Each structure stands twice: as structure tokens, then as C-alpha cells.
Amino acid sequence: MNETVQVLRSVHDGDPKEDLMKAFKEVAEKTTVLGPLCLVAIYQRPDKVKTTSGVSLYIPDTSKAEDKWQGKVGLLLKMGPLAFKEDETHQWGGVTPKVGDWVLFPIYSTFPVDAAGKPVNGVNYTRVRFVEDVKITAVIEEPDIYY
């Protein structure tokens, strides 16, 4: 049996990183993040994806809602003064996320909140999470590779 695996890629109306930075600019400016916490905007997939063969598929609203509530990928908006500081118990090996990086994290250990984000390119961005620095498990190049 010869099976072809189809990889799905989101079709964005704009750059998702720029969209999230724009949507949460005011929120980030008016938030002082404390200690080792990080303010992360949750990535929400757009309405449609394309397969590697070029076929467009629409994502159902229920799946998009899961991104808001169960999203594991986000854009690092702001860090507390102790985030990613090395000490005797925390070593980062010279690799630390910075504001504007896509990050991956487990949702069970985060504090989710709705924030006054602005709609951008037809998406109403409202969900952010406060994530402890040690819970961020990876910096990733693009948000669509995990869901």
C-alpha cells in the first residue's frame, strides 16, 4: 500500500507575527509582567489550510475555537524581569526566547486570560496566557507546525 502524507499549511491574509503584535500592542504596553512569567499571545489558525498538493480545506469553527482554549503555540509578547535568568537551578545553555519569538508550551501549567486585543485581518484576537519561563519548551520558526 503506497500512501501519500499530506502536510497542511495555513493560508494567512497577513503575517501572523505582525498581526498578533499589532493586536496586543496596547495590552503589552499596559502590562507589567512579574518575576519569571512571560506574556504569550495564543496563535489561532486562519479559516483555511492548503495541503501539499494545493487543495484548500476550511477549518471548522469548533476546531478554531480549540486553538483559543487549547492552543499550545504562541507569540512571546513580554517577559518579566526574572524570565530566562540563569541561576544554580536554571540553565538555558545560551538559548533563550526573546520577544517576537514563536514558542511552544504545555497548556496545563499556564494562566489563560482574555485580553483587549484588536481584530486584525478578520480574526478577533483576545486570548493570552501567562507562562512561567521554565514551562516554555521550544522556540519554533513557524506557528503552523504544531497544533
Side-chain angles (χ1 to χ4, degrees):
M1 179 182 225
N2 187 5
E3 293 185 30
T4 302
V5 176
Q6 293 288 318
V7 177
L8 300 177
R9 291 288 185 202
S10 294
V11 179
H12 298 280
D13 289 334
D15 178 6
K17 184 181 286 191
E18 288 177 13
D19 289 352
L20 282 172
M21 290 297 247
K22 186 185 304 180
F24 290 108
K25 182 179 188 298
E26 186 176 353
V27 170
E29 289 171 351
K30 293 182 176 185
T31 303
T32 301
V33 181
L34 305 177
L37 295 177
C38 299
L39 178 63
V40 177
I42 300 304
Y43 172 69
Q44 294 172 241
R45 290 174 289 175
D47 291 337
K48 68 180 177 179
V49 294
K50 280 193 177 183
T51 65
T52 50
S53 61
V55 175
S56 291
L57 303 170
Y58 286 88
I59 298 175
D61 289 340
T62 53
S63 293
K64 289 189 298 185
E66 281 300 303
D67 289 345
K68 181 178 178 180
W69 299 104
Q70 301 293 328
K72 301 155 195 65
V73 173
L75 186 67
L76 185 56
L77 297 174
K78 200 164 190 178
M79 298 187 294
L82 300 178
F84 301 104
K85 300 293 184 205
E86 291 195 354
D87 59 28
E88 53 279 343
T89 60
H90 298 95
Q91 301 294 313
W92 305 105
V95 179
T96 56
K98 60 187 180 309
V99 169
D101 281 347
W102 291 111
V103 294
L104 183 67
F105 51 87
I107 60 167
Y108 65 85
S109 60
T110 67
F111 175 54
V113 292
D114 280 328
K118 308 274 190 245
V120 179
N121 286 327
V123 179
N124 188 22
Y125 294 105
T126 60
R127 181 62 83 179
V128 297
R129 289 183 182 269
F130 287 90
V131 183
E132 190 177 2
D133 60 357
V134 296
K135 302 299 183 186
I136 292 177
T137 56
V139 175
I140 58 178
E141 289 185 24
E142 42 184 287
D144 299 314
I145 60 175
Y146 293 98
Y147 48 90

